[in-house]
Amino acid sequence: TLFDTLLRKIKMNKFDLQQHLRAEVADIREPQCPIEDKILVDTNVLYFCYYDRFSQLDILGTGPAKYQTIKYPAFLNKLLSSKTILFVHKIGLLEFANTVAKAELQILYCTINNVSKIGEDFTPKNMCRAYPDEYRRIQGQLVCYLHSIKKTFKLLNSNISIEHLLEDFLIEWQDSLADPGDAMMVAGAKREGINSVLSDDAAFVTLKGIKVYTANNAAINAYQAKRKN
């Protein structure tokens, strides 16, 4: 899709993110990075901080970058020490569950086939149907991860009418490069007075009226360059 192409260019730093930047950016790598009272935590941060089988994914070449599994857990601990209230959107929880399930199925695929690379025949649905007992084991692991998240995070209130939900979503999404789920999460956060997001996704900086806490170089560099102009 066009969005996927743009996101790949952002990740490769071949896309001029600066011209689409609408948010404020805070570099979580900096010791003096400010701390908010409340913050929305994105799916990718949950993944970096709570999933614990990256060593297997690294062998397959599908693991996260090293900075992602170092900087985000460190900053999350800093927020917890500062008594920041951490929020998660139900969309973020669903995306986390899907991401972890896919990762576990990739590991299962390579273990069963004795390979170190995901084949073109891999799909999560096919793996679930072919190995139902293993999938139930994965479900049990995932429930444990979600229970750990539940101990630390508050769920954003989503008890609004579909009319207001769509209205808020469209206001956030239009003219941005964020995917629909991210825009809906930000809309839900703003409705509860939360204007800060912790994420490694550079596309969040194309959403207006928020402050993005990140260690993503593309987002940080774009923001710093725009401030100099």
Side-chain angles (χ1 to χ4, degrees):
T1 65
L2 176 60
F3 173 76
D4 291 330
T5 301
L6 290 173
L7 189 56
R8 281 195 297 271
K9 288 183 177 179
I10 289 173
K11 289 179 178 178
M12 294 186 294
N13 292 321
K14 293 182 179 180
F15 181 77
D16 187 6
L17 185 60
Q18 184 182 337
Q19 65 177 321
H20 298 279
L21 193 145
R22 305 163 80 194
E24 187 178 352
V25 176
D27 186 349
I28 66 169
R29 301 169 301 183
E30 295 294 330
Q32 301 305 316
C33 181
I35 299 296
E36 301 287 341
D37 294 330
K38 300 182 292 185
I39 194 168
L40 172 68
V41 178
D42 188 23
T43 305
N44 49 55
V45 177
L46 296 177
Y47 183 55
F48 303 146
C49 296
Y50 284 89
Y51 187 56
D52 57 5
R53 299 241 288 167
F54 290 130
S55 59
Q56 287 91 333
L57 293 181
D58 288 340
I59 295 172
L60 308 183
T62 58
K66 187 174 181 179
Y67 83 89
Q68 294 171 326
T69 58
I70 295 175
K71 298 301 181 182
Y72 289 98
F75 190 71
L76 194 68
N77 286 333
K78 186 176 179 180
L79 293 175
L80 290 170
S81 297
S82 301
K83 307 300 182 183
T84 297
I85 303 174
L86 306 175
F87 287 87
V88 65
H89 195 286
K90 63 181 180 180
I91 291 176
L93 289 177
L94 291 173
E95 289 180 349
F96 171 79
N98 282 330
T99 302
V100 169
K102 182 178 179 181
E104 286 294 309
L105 290 170
Q106 287 177 334
I107 294 171
L108 177 63
Y109 172 93
C110 291
T111 301
I112 288 173
N113 293 288
N114 195 26
V115 295
S116 60
K117 187 177 180 181
I118 304 298
E120 294 183 0
D121 60 328
F122 170 83
T123 67
K125 283 187 178 181
N126 287 345
M127 290 296 295
C128 295
R129 293 167 182 169
Y131 304 100
D133 290 340
E134 287 298 320
Y135 187 56
R136 280 190 282 274
R137 177 188 61 78
I138 291 171
Q139 289 174 322
Q141 289 179 323
L142 185 51
V143 168
C144 291
Y145 291 131
L146 292 172
H147 276 301
S148 294
I149 291 171
K150 182 184 71 173
K151 294 176 184 177
T152 305
F153 291 81
K154 290 190 175 183
L155 186 66
L156 284 175
N157 181 17
S158 57
N159 187 26
I160 61 172
S161 68
I162 190 168
E163 179 182 359
H164 287 141
L165 177 70
L166 293 177
E167 181 181 344
D168 290 350
F169 159 69
L170 290 173
I171 289 173
E172 298 303 329
W173 192 44
Q174 62 185 2
D175 301 324
S176 79
L177 299 180
D179 67 43
D182 292 342
M184 193 163 287
M185 286 194 287
V186 168
K190 282 187 175 181
R191 178 170 280 274
E192 295 196 29
I194 302 165
N195 297 305
S196 299
V197 182
L198 177 60
S199 177
D200 193 58
D201 185 349
F204 267 97
V205 304
T206 70
L207 291 163
K208 61 186 177 182
I210 61 172
K211 187 172 186 177
V212 181
Y213 285 75
T214 189
N216 183 294
N217 268 327
I220 293 165
N221 291 342
Y223 182 68
Q224 291 176 345
K226 188 167 184 177
R227 290 187 67 187
K228 290 179 182 178
N229 292 341

